[in-house]
Amino acid sequence: MTPVDWVLLAAVGCVSGLSAGLLGIGGGLVVVPSLIYGLPLLGISGPDVPKIATATSLALVIPTALASAQAHAAKGAVCLRCAALLAPALIAGAFLATMLAPFLDARMIVAVFVLYAIVFTWGVLRPERARAAATPDKLGAKRLAETALKSVSGGALAALLGFGGAFFCVPILSRFVSMKKAIGTASALGLPLAAAGVAGYLLAPSPEGCSGACAGAIFMPAVGAIGVASVLTAPVGARLAHSLPVALLKRVFAMLLLLTAASLTLKITPEIPRPAPHLKAALLRLAEPVCRNRVGAKPSLQGLHRP
């Protein structure tokens, strides 16, 4: 790791922290694609780069979730009963997903990230509609089973993508508590989700080319540099949110994210095989009898080589 490498990782952390504070988005949307493109520049390449990127991003959720949970708890915006009900399912889903991650094709993980980026972009760009105030549901046996199933699958998806659980926890929790408490509780649930996922990634074997710098599948230098920079810049982004056009900036970010998703799609799409070198000569040999019959003499193939 050179000083330039540390500066680049810190720059990713600054963008991640500013985006989280200014736009209210998860840092994984910035960290994962940045590491997919940046890790080869740091000497880490190979098919496991997307897995390293998502594992490292998930590890960065822990300090963010801890700070956010403390802030929401101080305002009484955390439902401990809801957190206790959802946490076991989230932990099970996240740990199971990270244990299975080494056996998954890295291109599939990138494809799932691209799909989520498209859904996120659509949610930001579509016109907002007025919604009626939701009435909290009663947590019956059927609703409890449904919530547990969604939590397991959501925890697994979040761990594979390197995200916190807010993107699926908030819609679930908003059916039982107020939106403020749903957001605060989802922030708190990011801590056990990320801890379980990180435990699974730490138990995984270190990918080739990253054995010295990685703990399991987590790239530790990035955790340090990005984590410190994002924690320092997130409050700056939160202050800027009161003076900048956040809605416009969020749309710009969504468009940039969509372009990144398109680039990642091209990155994982198998290359179209080029014609074999002898294919042109074979086509010329097939065309020779046709040309001879039409002109009554053996044609010169020299002109056929011209485009």
Side-chain angles (χ1 to χ4, degrees):
M1 292 286 293
T2 66
V4 175
D5 297 336
W6 288 104
V7 171
L8 290 176
L9 291 174
V12 173
C14 290
V15 175
S16 175
L18 286 173
S19 300
L22 177 61
L23 306 177
I25 62 172
L29 285 171
V30 174
V31 174
V32 172
S34 298
L35 289 180
I36 289 177
Y37 285 108
L39 286 175
L41 301 178
L42 302 179
I44 301 174
S45 58
D48 290 327
V49 165
K51 298 178 183 179
I52 299 173
T54 54
T56 304
S57 176
L58 189 63
L60 290 166
V61 171
I62 293 179
T64 305
L66 183 60
S68 180
Q70 289 177 341
H72 285 291
K75 296 180 180 181
V78 176
C79 176
L80 296 178
R81 178 171 176 265
C82 294
L85 287 173
L86 267 64
L90 291 177
I91 292 172
F95 186 76
L96 180 62
T98 52
M99 293 299 293
L100 294 176
F103 306 100
L104 299 177
D105 190 338
R107 291 175 298 179
M108 187 190 75
I109 297 177
V110 176
V112 174
F113 177 86
V114 168
L115 180 61
Y116 176 76
I118 294 173
V119 173
F120 174 85
T121 303
W122 168 249
V124 171
L125 298 180
R126 69 178 179 179
E128 294 185 0
R129 298 179 180 179
R131 298 180 180 179
T135 303
D137 296 337
K138 293 183 178 179
L139 197 59
K142 181 179 179 181
R143 185 69 69 190
L144 181 61
E146 178 186 346
T147 301
L149 181 61
K150 290 181 179 179
S151 300
V152 171
S153 57
L157 180 61
L160 286 178
L161 294 177
F163 294 170
F167 72 94
F168 71 93
C169 280
V170 171
I172 294 176
L173 291 167
S174 62
R175 302 175 67 175
F176 309 109
V177 294
S178 66
M179 182 56 71
K180 289 184 178 180
K181 278 198 172 184
I183 294 174
T185 307
S187 299
L189 285 170
L191 184 59
L193 186 155
V198 167
Y201 280 126
L202 287 175
L203 295 175
S206 297
E208 295 182 4
C210 189
S211 57
C214 285
I218 301 173
F219 185 50
M220 297 308 295
V223 173
I226 296 176
V228 172
S230 62
V231 169
L232 293 177
T233 54
V236 178
R239 287 193 294 269
L240 291 175
H242 297 282
S243 57
L244 296 178
V246 176
L248 176 60
L249 292 175
K250 200 166 186 177
R251 287 182 172 85
V252 172
F253 175 83
M255 294 304 299
L256 293 175
L257 182 63
L258 191 61
L259 292 176
T260 303
S263 177
L264 288 173
T265 302
L266 294 177
K267 191 178 182 67
I268 65 174
T269 301
E271 294 185 0
I272 300 175
R274 298 181 178 180
H278 60 275
L279 181 58
K280 186 176 181 180
L283 292 175
L284 291 174
R285 285 196 298 271
L286 291 174
E288 183 177 350
V290 178
C291 295
R292 185 186 297 116
N293 293 335
R294 294 184 65 180
V295 301
K298 184 177 181 180
S300 173
L301 298 179
Q302 183 176 3
L304 295 177
H305 287 278
R306 297 175 184 172

